Amino acid sequence: MRSGKPGLIFLGGISMNIKAAVFDLDHTLFDRYATIRAIKNTVFDNLKGYVKDGLTADGFAEILIALDKKYIIYEWDEVIKQLKICGALKEIPEDFYNLAIRPGFIKTAVPYPFTIPALRKIKEMSIKCGLITNGTSDIQRSKVKMLGLEELMDEIVVGGEVGKNKPDPEPFKVFAEKIGFEPKNMLYIGDNPFNDVEGSRNAGYIPVWVKTYGTWDDSVKKADFEVNNVGEIPALISKLI
């Protein structure tokens, strides 16, 4: 429904002045699966002695990606546990993420092809763009820089920098304070039912679920809007204003 006023959307019969589109990073703007394939040799080499005999770097990467698609909504600890259960790992290293994943992620980041064009279109609509991501400052800031997102983001909040990660309301609260908008005037776009949809809703944002890998948990109330990928966000905003 068009209101004739840029930035106004109608949700449940109530018009809201949407001032910002705020994004998650991994699986939303950042193609983690393409990146895992790009760093597969680093991952494999760092896990020597732990990986099942006979597995190749390619084979381990595809198992990791398949398990990530199924279990990542429950965080890395669950994915790592499943690597052991399925037999891909003979045993789990004490600090799997920092041993196997972090060295690659700090140097390599592959964007979705639609990420930059979508963000540019949103900014052309006079809508601010922002980022709220979980993780440590060094890795997430490195990803943002490698992906070329810095110049397109009006504000960025990293969970590790505020001492709380999504779905805790603190990162969402800090972002709203930094950008100067009420949460009710911002879309939050992400892939994780718990961290992104439920977390942003509880913080007062309007949640948009990105169906990157399509795994949902029925204990979570559905998002107000759903898209297949971030490339559809400009069209969604256009339909709603």
Side-chain angles (χ1 to χ4, degrees), residues 124-149:
E124 288 170 2
M125 300 165 71
S126 298
I127 302 291
K128 299 289 188 181
C129 288
L131 179 70
I132 304 174
T133 178
N134 285 354
T136 61
S137 180
D138 57 349
I139 293 180
Q140 299 306 81
R141 292 281 180 180
S142 291
K143 288 178 186 175
V144 168
K145 185 173 182 179
M146 287 186 288
L147 294 169
L149 300 179

Side-chain angles (χ1 to χ4, degrees), residues 47 50-52 55 59-93 96 215:
L47 285 174
Y50 295 99
V51 176
K52 176 184 176 182
L55 263 183
F60 184 80
E62 293 309 312
I63 292 172
L64 176 59
I65 288 168
L67 292 175
D68 186 281
K69 287 181 179 179
K70 188 172 182 179
Y71 295 105
I72 195 57
I73 64 171
Y74 307 113
E75 305 294 343
W76 270 105
D77 286 348
E78 185 61 30
V79 176
I80 295 165
K81 183 172 75 175
Q82 292 298 325
L83 284 168
K84 176 70 163 56
I85 291 173
C86 78
L89 289 178
K90 293 184 285 188
E91 59 179 302
I92 300 173
F96 176 94
T215 302

Side-chain angles (χ1 to χ4, degrees), residues 6-27:
L8 289 180
I9 73 168
F10 287 85
L11 185 62
I14 301 174
S15 64
M16 295 189 220
N17 187 10
I18 297 302
K19 297 182 177 181
V22 190
F23 296 87
D24 169 52
L25 183 57
D26 289 27
H27 283 312

